[in-house]
Amino acid sequence: MLSVFSLRNVCSLKGISGTSRLIKVSKAIAVRNSWNKCISSGQKVSQRKWSSIKNLCFPIIRQNVTHAGEVVNKVPVKSERIIGYWLLGCSGMVFTAVVLGGVTRLTESGLSMVTWKLFGEKPPRTQEEWEAEFKNYQQYPEFKIKNKEITLEDFKWIWWMEYFHRTWGRTIGAAFYIPAAIFWAKGWLNKGMKIRVAVFGTLLACQGLMGWYMVKSGLEDRFHKESDVPRVSQYRLAAHLSLAFVLYTLFLWSALDHLLPAKAVAATVSNRRFRMFAHACKGMVFLTAISGAFVAGLDAGLVYNSFPKMADRWIPEDILAYTPALSNFTENPTTVQFDHRVLGISTLLMISGLWLVSRRRHLPPRAYAATSAVAAMAWMQVALGITTLLTYVPVPVAATHQSGSLILLSLAVWLTHELKLIKAVPK
């Protein structure tokens, strides 16, 4: 039978309040007591009592069951997968943006557009407009110091490269913000996802602003030494890439939550340590990739193009040539390349060890597959890095190497996601 508490809840659902609600609840209590008395004594329920129950309780129940059904129907059964595919699509677009950014850097196209507008620059359409754009470019250091011989046709090519990169970034914004607003308005996002979406949106906006802040560093009048080459700040480049990697990782992790939920893993001490080891490997992959941003920012891949030694030495003579000494790690091309080598080899050894340890652990099948994929990709990535170095950084090979770092990070994220349900072992 319905309790008085459930009747009160039913009344409150439909907005019945004050005196009206008290009267209805009082009547319901009286009807309930009379009904229970009849049932317990074995008496038959009179037609009058039965009519009271129907007239008082059934309309309220019927109305509110219908109302509850309407609320439930607002959220489609497939909403979780829809949100998952949306997040996966956003992560794929960020992946493409990183690749385009790498190609833009390798082709030295990033400083061709000397203005920035929030909602996009209008491409030149006539010969006069192209000449005006080219004339504007000629006012900045890259043309004055490095590209004095560039023709208008050459300028058009690098301009379109940078334009496509920026346009793709703005497309990511549209692909994220518009569906996010729709899903939020429809009530498809729970409290946790609302927080995540707010974080994603903030990071995406910061990423766009950081991109222009980075480009602006290459347009400043600060290249006065004979050996100076106009380029963006390696610090801002590393920050721009770091934000992209963080945004990509968060998109991918959230997409996996919706599309490929992790399986429970035995909460043993050895499995918990294995998870910590996997997170450490993921961190090393991230750190090595960011060190690669300093290599790209300083064109450090064009010095000491030999492996495993650097100019027949394990440690080059000019590794600490700059003063103060700490500046060598972010400003000396030799030191930056040396650090990237050490980090890359260390990451490879750690991941190889992770794969060996995984053979002795009881893990879900997908976790085994992810571990093997991470190990295989780590070896491939190191091979690509060595090839890039020995061949003097050709654009196709170098772009593949940069893309490989994000693929390796993706696999590491997948592995750690598969291990997320290992709980702490009680002491």
Side-chain angles (χ1 to χ4, degrees), residues 25 73 79 88 95 99 122 126 139-140 143 145 172 198 207 245 261 275 285 306 319 326 332-333 345 376 381 399 423:
V25 171
N73 289 334
S79 63
L88 187 64
F95 184 102
V99 174
K122 180 183 177 182
T126 65
Q139 308 303 314
Y140 290 88
F143 176 83
I145 299 175
I172 296 174
Q207 174 69 356
F245 273 37
R275 184 184 65 174
V285 171
S306 59
I319 195 170
L326 287 177
N332 185 342
I345 295 172
Q381 177 67 357
K423 303 299 181 182

Side-chain angles (χ1 to χ4, degrees), residues 18-19 31 35 42 121 152 154 172 183-184 207 235 248 271 289 315 422 427:
T19 304
V31 171
W35 174 272
E121 296 82 3
L152 179 59
D154 295 332
I172 296 174
F183 296 154
W184 196 304
Q207 174 69 356
Y235 299 104
Y248 171 77
N271 281 347
I315 300 178
I422 297 179
K427 295 184 180 179

Side-chain angles (χ1 to χ4, degrees), residues 84 86-99 168 172 176 196 199-205 207 239-257 282 285-286 289-290 377 402-417:
W86 166 60
L87 293 170
L88 187 64
C90 289
S91 68
M93 293 183 74
V94 174
F95 184 102
T96 304
V98 173
V99 174
W168 186 258
I172 296 174
F176 172 78
R196 290 190 186 189
V199 172
F200 297 160
T202 302
L203 286 175
L204 193 57
Q207 174 69 356
H240 186 53
L241 184 65
S242 298
L243 276 175
F245 273 37
V246 169
L247 185 61
Y248 171 77
T249 300
L250 294 176
F251 272 140
L252 180 59
W253 183 279
S254 296
L256 291 174
D257 281 342
K282 181 176 67 175
V285 171
F286 183 88
I290 300 308
M377 189 63 214
Q402 292 183 0
S403 304
S405 65
L406 200 51
I407 295 174
L408 181 57
L409 181 62
S410 304
L411 296 173
V413 169
W414 175 34
L415 172 59
T416 52
H417 187 272

Side-chain angles (χ1 to χ4, degrees), residues 43-283:
Q43 299 177 9
K44 291 184 178 180
V45 181
S46 66
Q47 185 66 31
R48 182 179 178 181
K49 291 181 179 178
W50 177 245
S51 298
S52 298
I53 294 172
K54 290 195 298 180
N55 293 337
L56 177 64
C57 300
F58 281 20
I60 299 175
I61 296 172
R62 186 183 303 111
Q63 291 172 9
N64 286 283
V65 167
T66 303
H67 177 70
E70 292 172 356
V71 173
V72 172
N73 289 334
K74 286 183 180 180
V75 181
V77 177
K78 295 183 179 180
S79 63
E80 287 291 311
R81 299 196 69 81
I82 292 173
I83 294 173
Y85 285 123
W86 166 60
L87 293 170
L88 187 64
C90 289
S91 68
M93 293 183 74
V94 174
F95 184 102
T96 304
V98 173
V99 174
L100 288 174
V103 174
T104 300
R105 175 70 189 94
L106 290 166
T107 56
E108 300 181 340
S109 305
L111 299 178
S112 58
M113 296 181 68
V114 296
T115 59
W116 185 83
K117 297 179 181 178
L118 180 60
F119 296 105
E121 296 82 3
K122 180 183 177 182
R125 295 184 178 181
T126 65
Q127 183 69 15
E128 291 75 15
E129 289 179 348
W130 273 114
E131 289 177 355
E133 187 72 25
F134 188 34
K135 186 176 181 180
N136 197 17
Y137 170 71
Q138 293 172 354
Q139 308 303 314
Y140 290 88
E142 187 175 68
F143 176 83
K144 293 180 179 179
I145 299 175
K146 185 180 178 182
N147 287 343
K148 291 182 179 180
E149 306 300 326
I150 192 173
T151 64
L152 179 59
E153 293 304 315
D154 295 332
F155 170 72
K156 287 182 180 180
W157 189 84
I158 61 174
W159 193 94
W160 281 116
M161 287 287 296
E162 175 64 7
Y163 176 79
F164 186 61
H165 178 54
R166 294 192 189 186
T167 302
W168 186 258
R170 292 183 173 93
T171 304
I172 296 174
F176 172 78
Y177 289 115
I178 295 175
I182 294 173
F183 296 154
W184 196 304
K186 285 181 173 290
W188 289 10
L189 306 176
N190 58 32
K191 183 178 179 180
M193 272 307 301
K194 286 181 179 179
I195 295 174
R196 290 190 186 189
V197 166
V199 172
F200 297 160
T202 302
L203 286 175
L204 193 57
C206 291
Q207 174 69 356
L209 294 173
M210 178 56 73
W212 169 243
Y213 184 59
M214 175 191 68
V215 171
K216 190 177 178 181
S217 66
L219 302 175
E220 297 169 352
D221 186 19
R222 60 185 181 90
F223 308 98
H224 303 295
K225 298 179 182 179
E226 293 184 2
S227 59
D228 280 350
V229 177
R231 58 165 67 97
V232 299
S233 166
Q234 69 271 25
Y235 299 104
R236 299 184 191 183
L237 175 61
H240 186 53
L241 184 65
S242 298
L243 276 175
F245 273 37
V246 169
L247 185 61
Y248 171 77
T249 300
L250 294 176
F251 272 140
L252 180 59
W253 183 279
S254 296
L256 291 174
D257 281 342
H258 287 79
L259 301 176
L260 199 66
K263 304 293 183 182
V265 182
T268 63
V269 174
S270 59
N271 281 347
R272 189 162 177 257
R273 289 176 178 172
F274 181 80
R275 184 184 65 174
M276 294 172 64
F277 192 12
H279 278 291
C281 290
K282 181 176 67 175

Side-chain angles (χ1 to χ4, degrees), residues 320-342:
L320 294 175
Y322 287 18
T323 303
L326 287 177
S327 65
N328 288 279
F329 294 94
T330 54
E331 298 178 9
N332 185 342
T334 299
T335 312
V336 167
Q337 188 196 121
F338 179 81
D339 292 343
H340 190 59
R341 291 186 184 209
V342 172

